[in-house]
């Protein structure tokens, strides 16, 4: 009789563990991804002519024209490329915030 009472786990404990795992998965994986998707959607709706953008492929350029699904980006003087809006990953340039002309580690090593 003692072996039966102490050997099994309660179905209530198993259910509580399962609910806990689902809650952890939601707060660690699903919620941050939904937040990131919302921010990207807001970024795409706020695009306008003259904004500097970075594409998912790493191409930098300035928006020349915005359509419903596509954007024309000027990547060099007189060079325009049509891309899908969804392939734009960020506004601004990669060098934004970095000091222009600041010596890199390689330049510092060469100077020594």
């Amino acid at each position: 009789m003692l072996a039966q009472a102490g050997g099994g786990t309660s179905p209530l404990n198993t259910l509580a563990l399962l609910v806990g795992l689902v809650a952890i998965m939601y707060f660690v994986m699903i919620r941050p991804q939904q937040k990131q998707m919302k921010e990207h959607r807001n970024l795409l709706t706020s695009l306008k002519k003259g904004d500097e953008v970075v594409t998912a492929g790493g191409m930098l350029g300035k928006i020349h024209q915005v359509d419903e699904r596509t954007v024309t980006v000027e990547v060099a003087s007189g060079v325009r490329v049509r891309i899908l809006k969804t392939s734009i990953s960020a506004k601004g340039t990669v060098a934004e915030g970095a000091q222009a002309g600041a010596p890199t580690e390689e330049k510092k090593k060469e100077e020594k």
Side-chain angles (χ1 to χ4, degrees):
M1 188 171 225
L2 289 176
Q4 290 178 350
T9 60
S10 169
L12 209 52
N13 288 342
T14 307
L15 182 61
L17 180 65
L18 185 61
V19 168
L21 286 174
V22 169
I24 290 171
M25 292 288 285
Y26 174 77
F27 285 108
V28 171
M29 294 177 62
I30 298 169
R31 190 168 178 235
Q33 185 178 11
Q34 287 177 342
K35 184 178 177 183
Q36 186 179 18
M37 286 174 53
K38 183 179 179 182
E39 289 173 0
H40 189 253
R41 207 175 313 120
N42 291 339
L43 168 76
L44 295 181
T45 58
S46 70
L47 292 176
K48 61 186 181 298
K49 184 177 179 176
D51 287 343
E52 291 188 2
V53 293
V54 180
T55 66
M59 191 178 305
L60 305 170
K62 188 177 278 191
I63 294 179
H64 182 261
Q65 181 181 358
V66 179
D67 294 329
E68 185 177 327
R69 297 183 69 196
T70 61
V71 175
T72 304
V73 178
E74 188 168 6
V75 294
S77 182
V79 180
R80 295 184 182 142
V81 180
R82 275 183 52 203
I83 59 172
L84 292 173
K85 268 187 176 181
T86 55
S87 68
I88 293 178
S89 61
K91 266 188 186 180
T93 60
V94 172
E96 205 172 82
Q99 295 178 358
T104 61
E105 290 183 30
E106 293 175 5
K107 288 182 182 178
K108 288 179 184 178
K109 288 179 184 177
E110 291 174 2
E111 292 174 359
K112 290 181 181 179

